Amino acid sequence: MEKNTRSIQIECPKLLISRNESDLQWLIGSPFFPPLTIISTFRCIHSNSSGPDFPKESEEIRTLLLKGFDVIGALIVGKSDPEKTAARAVEAARKLKKLLTGTTKLENEETIGAVADPDTGDIRFFLSETESSTNFELVNPVSYGDNPEKFVWESGCLLLCQLPIKLPVCYPANKPSDVESIFSRAIEAVIAKFKDPNVVYLVKASNRASLDVVQPVILRGSELDFDAAVANIELLDEAAQNSEKKLLRCAHFCLKSKSTSQLLSAENADIIQISVLLNRSEKSPKCSAPAVEYFPAMDETRLLIVDFKLEVLCYAVQGIPLMHAISKLIIPGLIDQLISMKKMNLPYLLTQHPEVTFYISLVGSL
């Protein structure tokens, strides 16, 4: 059934279709853009004859995909019944989204299922509005943007957070097998620190992004909002003036004007740097001497230092308030990387720590 009230907007280079009928691509959008807007695609990496390996694929996508972008559907190459193929694409996209979000029910169930003809390259887009619906509606028209990079970067910016961590892990010498559970608890303690009211986030413009001197801004964990969904965040326009630091727009740290098309690209995007600090110098209502606690080890104990560096890159529109940019993009990105590092390090804690390289595509097709 055709649906004329909606349209698909494709804001990336023309979708590349292979002739392999088992090929599947994830369609990427963003909660900051209008619904049904495709800004990139990721080819499914982990699959076999029965379909995607969803646990492995979700780990891969979680590493590759910047916070601020979402999986909004899937495209399957095939010549069989288009509606049934679209249903498979929608089912795959929803299953992946559930693993990425760690939920059993999706907040936004609207999902695109696309079907590409391997001979002609023609693509038909179907829309499923709810998980329980059996109707897949053909969406027309489909339009391609003239300048995808302008669409993404004219009002967008990047958030960068680099966090080196040296994690001490003490474990009993006579029970080295305990090191994994001790390490896991230490990771959980670090994750809890990100939402601690006393943690401090220092926000500043990168040198490249600032023509004028912009003073850094400090936000505390107690000023962040962890409850609002990204899709429900109110974006502030240029006319919005607010003295509260937490309601400052990301635009505060970006170039005020971009006069040439060369500036509207991922390579020239405004970058906002965010540092994580533990604040222990607040003014206290009481004066007290420092206290030290001593916890003696009952048995011989060994010390292991796990050393790694988190590096999170997120996409945001300039109208998002800082408190939401940190709580809904930076912190989830840090947590995802920390969990990935935990999984990779666990088998090697007593031998060597694997090095992780993150490969990131901002706009286009992988």
Side-chain angles (χ1 to χ4, degrees), residues 90-322:
V90 166
E91 182 183 10
R94 285 202 171 117
K95 190 168 184 178
L96 180 66
K97 286 197 287 185
K98 287 177 181 178
L99 288 172
L100 291 173
T101 58
T103 59
T104 56
K105 183 174 176 58
L106 299 172
E107 291 184 12
N108 180 14
E109 294 185 287
E110 197 172 62
T111 305
I112 300 171
V115 182
D117 187 299
D119 297 326
T120 66
D122 292 337
I123 306 174
R124 303 175 74 183
F125 293 89
F126 294 82
L127 180 66
S128 172
E129 294 190 337
T130 65
E131 194 167 5
S132 59
S133 174
T134 57
N135 293 326
F136 294 88
E137 298 172 285
L138 181 64
V139 182
N140 271 318
V142 177
S143 59
Y144 285 81
D146 295 329
N147 193 337
E149 292 208 331
K150 180 179 179 181
F151 178 87
V152 174
W153 299 111
E154 187 171 39
S155 62
C157 61
L158 293 173
L159 311 177
L160 174 64
C161 180
Q162 297 171 314
L163 180 61
I165 294 178
K166 288 184 181 292
L167 197 61
V169 179
C170 296
Y171 64 95
N174 61 348
K175 291 187 68 179
S177 59
D178 286 357
V179 70
E180 291 190 6
S181 61
I182 295 170
F183 177 64
S184 295
R185 290 196 296 271
I187 292 291
E188 291 168 5
V190 174
I191 290 174
K193 283 289 185 184
F194 293 145
K195 299 183 180 182
D196 190 294
N198 290 321
V199 74
V200 165
Y201 292 91
L202 176 66
V203 186
K204 63 180 181 180
S206 69
N207 293 333
R208 184 176 66 179
S210 302
L211 294 179
D212 301 318
V213 176
V214 179
Q215 294 300 318
V217 170
I218 286 178
L219 289 183
R220 305 186 188 281
S222 57
E223 297 176 284
L224 303 181
D225 181 358
F226 295 98
D227 297 325
V230 176
N232 297 330
I233 293 173
E234 181 182 357
L235 302 180
L236 306 178
D237 57 27
E238 292 183 18
Q241 299 291 331
N242 202 300
S243 59
E244 288 189 82
K245 292 180 295 183
K246 66 181 182 179
L247 293 178
L248 276 178
R249 302 162 67 234
C250 284
H252 179 75
F253 299 95
C254 299
L255 286 171
K256 303 306 178 189
S257 63
K258 298 179 180 179
S259 56
T260 64
S261 59
Q262 285 80 9
L263 289 175
L264 297 172
S265 65
E267 293 76 16
N268 293 294
D270 294 316
I271 299 176
I272 301 173
Q273 295 178 326
I274 299 173
S275 302
V276 186
L277 309 169
L278 288 177
N279 181 36
R280 290 291 179 266
S281 59
E282 284 188 282
K283 188 181 292 184
S284 174
K286 297 180 183 178
C287 291
S288 58
V292 176
E293 292 184 81
Y294 173 58
F295 298 96
M298 303 303 294
D299 299 302
E300 181 185 351
T301 302
R302 291 180 180 171
L303 174 64
L304 172 69
I305 302 294
V306 182
D307 188 358
F308 48 82
K309 180 179 181 180
L310 305 182
E311 185 166 355
V312 172
L313 194 63
C314 305
Y315 174 85
V317 289
Q318 296 180 15
I320 189 173
L322 287 179

